[in-house]
Amino acid sequence: MKVEPQQLKAFIVSSGLINEQQFDNCLKEAAEKNRGIEEVLVEDKIITQEDLIRLKAYILGIPFVNLEKDKIPVEILRIIPEPIARTHNIIAFRKQGKHLEVAMLNPDDLKTIEFIKKKAGLRIIPRLTTPQSIKNALSQYQESLQAEFGEIINQEAGEIKNIQDKEGPEEGGTDLEKKAQEMPIIKIVDTLLKHAILQGSSDIHIEPMENEVLVRYRIDGILHDAMTLPVIAKSGVVARIKVLSNLKLDEHRLPQDGRFKIETDDYKYSVRVSVLPVFNGEKIVMRLLPETTKGLSLEQLGITGKALEEIEISLRKPVGMILVTGPTGSGKTTTLYSMMEVLNKPMVNISTVEDPIEYRMPRINQTQVNPAIGLSFASGLRSLLRQDPNVIMVGEIRDNETASLAINAALTGHLVLSTLHTNSAAGAIPRLIDMKVEPFLLASTLNIVIAQRLVRRLTEDKEEYYLQESDLKNLAKYCSLETVIRVLEEEKIIKPKQELKEVPFYKPKSSKECPEGYKGRVGIYEVLQITEDVKALLQKGASADEIQNQAVSQGMRLMFADGFAKAARGQTSIEEILRVITE
């Protein structure tokens, strides 16, 4: 039921909005920019997005609905679980008997329609709608969930108080275990986890204060206050999470680590738990790791152009070392996993040593570091070398011994992937030399170094603006504007001799669903290829700046320039790039 360009042309031309020649020019522009004709028509303000979708609905013979101002009853909205609604852009909005009307952006998604039909036991009637309608409906999931959570807290806090009044203060592990099994506490913890998952949180922080318990969610790398719990729920919530994680209930003075799993029809998560004694009790941080998430390709991570080509060449080499650098939380492990997806073939034996194993990967032998029993990165790597591996992934190079073993593994016929904590790609080389790795060994083994950060993606609803002279002066402090222009020309974002002042950029626009104007993240990268010239500098003991300058002269794109290109495409904002680069 796809609308062909010629069908659109006939209707748009007959409506008088545009003539045939102008439409053909738009088709040509769409081909040059590798974009759809519909996107170009809306971008050039020939037709509004809503009118275009109404026209498509008319051509396809599917009724159009606008839900931008509609309040959907909660019981109907939740017929389709939020993760499915978000992933497939489909909303249940009206139910009559055994018929369920759903608003969609893609009525050809028959697989999703069939899935909902089986799950709900209803006949599905698709309707075409706008992205803004979908956004409005998705925000209603959060409103209903927050209302539900508020009711549970208010209701269950009273029950917790009644239980405490009857039993008195807890003293030992038995009392805590009993409290952890109380229904009010179970409901609070379950709802807290559900709330975090549906908001797309990566971490949950539960922090005891003097008069309350603060809960914060990390969403797209930024911590947000999510809710507060009554202080009387503190010990019960901590005990419940300890029981789920199989930790010691009566240990309050030492840190503890554990994990558990959550599985429903809609999602499956592994939860990594860290408990730390603090002044007002015990702080808990839970890392949420989706087990159903498929590995992202390198392109989906945001690696493009020459950088992607250089990484793919390095992955085809049977020996050597590939390093990914950046601070904690910059997505290094995800990048390594994406590389292993590329390498994961029947004729290749891949073994890893990680701390922790964040995602389970089929056909890959993953080992979890366990310092308590003497299984470190170094000892694990030493054992892996006796397992006949072709590819070895070491979660992190932290010390001299691990660095030395990784280099030796790369020298003796293995492809080694690992991470390092440095701010730039060039900074990895002096860092390894500080770990007593000989420069001539690095020159022989190092294939490529990738530095990265994660920046938040702008939502579709964003505000366009143009750079002023003062903006350009400020940006010049971080990167040569000539370099930036070269990158934008390479990406065909601007034409030769076009000025930066003529390029539209975008700022976040607040909405009910995304108050800060961002949703999701994308990577920004710099890729240092170890060429013969770089090897020569390395063996001379050159500084990180000298190595970086040489790489830039050979065409390396610095992280800021890569981010600038993504900002010019409307994926993120310049403010977000500067926030991440200058952290």
Side-chain angles (χ1 to χ4, degrees):
M1 289 194 295
K2 183 180 177 183
V3 177
E4 297 297 331
Q6 292 307 314
Q7 288 177 292
L8 272 180
K9 179 178 179 178
F11 279 90
I12 290 178
V13 170
S14 64
S15 69
L17 289 168
I18 191 172
N19 62 39
E20 287 193 28
Q21 183 59 52
Q22 288 171 320
F23 190 93
D24 290 340
N25 289 340
C26 287
L27 269 177
K28 185 179 178 182
E29 182 184 346
E32 288 174 353
K33 293 183 176 179
N34 196 23
R35 302 171 88 170
I37 180 63
E38 296 171 16
E39 193 177 353
V40 170
L41 289 169
V42 173
E43 189 179 274
D44 290 352
K45 298 180 181 177
I46 292 163
I47 188 170
T48 66
Q49 188 174 55
E50 181 174 337
D51 286 343
L52 177 64
I53 293 171
R54 283 181 184 274
L55 180 58
K56 285 176 62 179
Y58 178 77
I59 294 170
L60 295 171
I62 299 172
F64 173 85
V65 293
N66 188 322
L67 304 175
E68 290 183 27
K69 297 179 181 177
D70 289 10
K71 183 71 176 175
I72 304 170
V74 173
E75 64 276 9
I76 294 175
L77 186 70
R78 290 192 179 177
I79 290 173
I80 300 177
E82 186 179 0
I84 294 170
R86 286 187 181 279
T87 303
H88 299 282
N89 289 310
I90 182 169
I91 298 294
F93 68 94
R94 187 181 296 131
K95 180 174 175 287
Q96 293 178 328
K98 289 290 183 181
H99 295 76
L100 180 68
E101 292 185 62
V102 297
M104 309 179 68
L105 297 182
N106 178 20
D108 284 338
D109 191 356
L110 301 180
K111 188 176 178 182
T112 301
I113 291 173
E114 189 61 28
F115 172 80
I116 295 166
K117 178 182 175 182
K118 288 180 180 178
K119 183 177 177 63
L122 299 168
R123 185 184 171 207
I124 307 302
I125 304 172
R127 304 285 187 247
L128 203 57
T129 192
T130 63
Q132 189 58 44
S133 290
I134 295 288
K135 185 183 287 188
N136 173 63
L138 289 173
S139 69
Q140 294 180 43
Y141 277 100
Q142 298 305 315
E143 292 169 8
S144 65
L145 192 60
Q146 287 166 358
E148 175 195 351
F149 193 85
E151 288 173 14
I152 287 173
I153 291 298
N154 292 334
Q155 180 184 340
E156 307 307 339
E159 292 191 30
I160 295 167
K161 182 71 168 64
N162 291 337
I163 292 167
Q164 277 199 343
D165 290 343
K166 288 177 185 176
E167 298 177 359
E170 74 276 356
E171 293 178 0
T174 305
D175 295 318
L176 285 170
E177 189 170 357
K178 185 178 177 182
K179 180 170 283 192
Q181 303 301 333
E182 295 287 354
M183 191 53 66
I185 290 295
I186 292 173
K187 278 188 181 180
I188 286 174
V189 173
D190 287 353
T191 309
L192 188 152
L193 288 164
K194 175 184 173 185
H195 196 57
I197 288 169
L198 293 181
Q199 285 199 52
S201 307
S202 61
D203 301 86
I204 305 172
H205 290 240
I206 302 174
E207 303 170 345
M209 317 295 276
E210 188 174 355
N211 299 312
E212 61 188 12
V213 179
L214 176 64
V215 179
R216 297 197 284 172
Y217 293 158
R218 189 177 293 279
I219 302 171
D220 295 335
I222 307 293
L223 270 176
H224 301 270
D225 286 359
M227 62 198 73
T228 56
L229 302 176
V231 72
I232 54 172
K234 177 175 67 175
S235 57
V237 168
V238 171
R240 175 64 183 164
I241 293 169
K242 283 184 176 180
V243 165
L244 290 172
S245 313
N246 199 26
L247 300 177
K248 294 178 182 178
L249 282 172
D250 55 352
E251 177 57 76
H252 305 291
R253 297 175 299 171
L254 294 174
Q256 297 188 72
D257 295 304
R259 63 192 306 151
F260 63 92
K261 290 190 177 184
I262 309 170
E263 189 169 354
T264 71
D265 292 340
D266 304 324
Y267 49 75
K268 184 177 180 182
Y269 276 76
S270 176
V271 183
R272 198 171 79 228
V273 178
S274 171
V275 183
L276 180 72
V278 293
F279 184 78
N280 288 307
E282 291 171 282
K283 177 186 174 180
I284 293 179
V285 176
M286 293 185 280
R287 167 66 57 88
L288 304 175
L289 303 167
E291 294 199 345
T292 51
T293 300
K294 293 181 181 177
L296 297 172
S297 67
L298 294 169
E299 293 95 327
Q300 287 171 320
L301 293 179
I303 304 173
T304 58
K306 185 183 175 187
L308 177 62
E309 185 183 330
E310 289 173 345
I311 292 171
E312 288 175 340
I313 290 169
S314 291
L315 289 173
R316 288 196 287 270
K317 294 179 180 177
V319 298
M321 180 182 284
I322 297 174
L323 287 177
V324 184
T325 75
T328 301
S330 60
K332 299 187 297 296
T333 303
T334 301
T335 300
L336 289 184
Y337 281 10
S338 296
M339 291 181 187
M340 288 194 291
E341 285 279 3
V342 174
L343 297 166
N344 193 6
K345 295 180 173 61
M347 68 288 294
V348 177
N349 176 19
I350 303 177
S351 296
T352 77
V353 53
E354 306 173 55
D355 183 22
I357 296 172
E358 295 205 359
Y359 301 102
R360 294 289 301 277
M361 299 187 72
R363 301 180 64 91
I364 291 180
N365 310 290
Q366 295 174 270
T367 302
Q368 168 76 51
V369 165
N370 189 346
I373 58 172
L375 180 54
S376 62
F377 278 117
S379 60
L381 178 53
R382 196 178 287 109
S383 298
L384 286 189
L385 292 171
R386 297 192 287 270
Q387 289 282 312
D388 186 32
N390 301 103
V391 178
I392 296 170
M393 191 275 267
V394 183
E396 185 184 342
I397 294 176
R398 295 178 179 173
D399 52 45
N400 302 2
E401 187 180 7
T402 308
S404 176
L405 286 166
I407 290 290
N408 286 328
L411 278 171
T412 53
H414 305 89
L415 183 62
V416 179
L417 314 178
S418 192
T419 70
L420 203 62
H421 283 279
T422 62
N423 289 328
S424 66
I429 292 170
R431 178 82 181 95
L432 287 168
I433 292 172
D434 286 345
M435 291 183 178
K436 311 301 181 190
V437 176
E438 294 292 341
F440 76 90
L441 290 177
L442 275 181
S444 304
T445 57
L446 205 53
N447 293 343
I448 204 165
V449 184
I450 304 159
Q452 68 176 77
R453 301 287 189 280
L454 292 177
V455 295
R456 292 178 292 171
R457 284 183 183 271
L458 287 167
T459 60
E460 288 299 317
D461 191 15
K462 52 202 171 195
E463 184 181 334
E464 184 180 284
Y465 76 102
Y466 290 84
L467 295 173
Q468 303 300 313
E469 197 63 46
S470 57
D471 298 320
L472 294 174
K473 285 181 181 177
N474 184 47
L475 292 172
K477 298 174 186 174
Y478 302 96
C479 185
S480 161
L481 294 183
E482 288 76 15
T483 302
V484 167
I485 290 169
R486 174 175 58 81
V487 169
L488 296 185
E489 287 178 355
E490 286 173 5
E491 295 280 334
K492 296 184 178 176
I493 295 168
I494 63 173
K495 297 172 184 176
K497 298 183 180 178
Q498 187 178 0
E499 293 188 17
L500 279 177
K501 291 179 185 179
E502 300 170 17
V503 180
F505 287 88
Y506 301 88
K507 291 182 179 179
K509 192 173 180 181
S510 181
S511 66
K512 190 190 296 183
E513 187 191 12
C514 303
E516 295 186 13
Y518 296 99
K519 186 72 176 176
R521 289 192 285 179
V522 66
I524 56 173
Y525 302 87
E526 62 185 36
V527 177
L528 171 63
Q529 191 175 26
I530 309 301
T531 62
E532 293 303 319
D533 290 334
V534 172
K535 285 180 183 179
L537 283 175
L538 198 160
Q539 290 178 315
K540 289 178 184 175
S543 68
D545 286 342
E546 290 172 313
I547 292 169
Q548 179 167 293
N549 291 338
Q550 176 62 41
V552 169
S553 72
Q554 295 175 183
M556 182 179 86
R557 180 184 300 183
L558 292 175
M559 211 181 309
F560 179 82
D562 186 50
F564 207 90
K566 288 180 170 71
R569 283 201 207 96
Q571 292 177 279
T572 188
S573 67
I574 292 176
E575 291 79 7
E576 178 69 3
I577 299 295
L578 293 177
R579 179 188 71 82
V580 170
I581 293 288
T582 57
E583 270 185 348

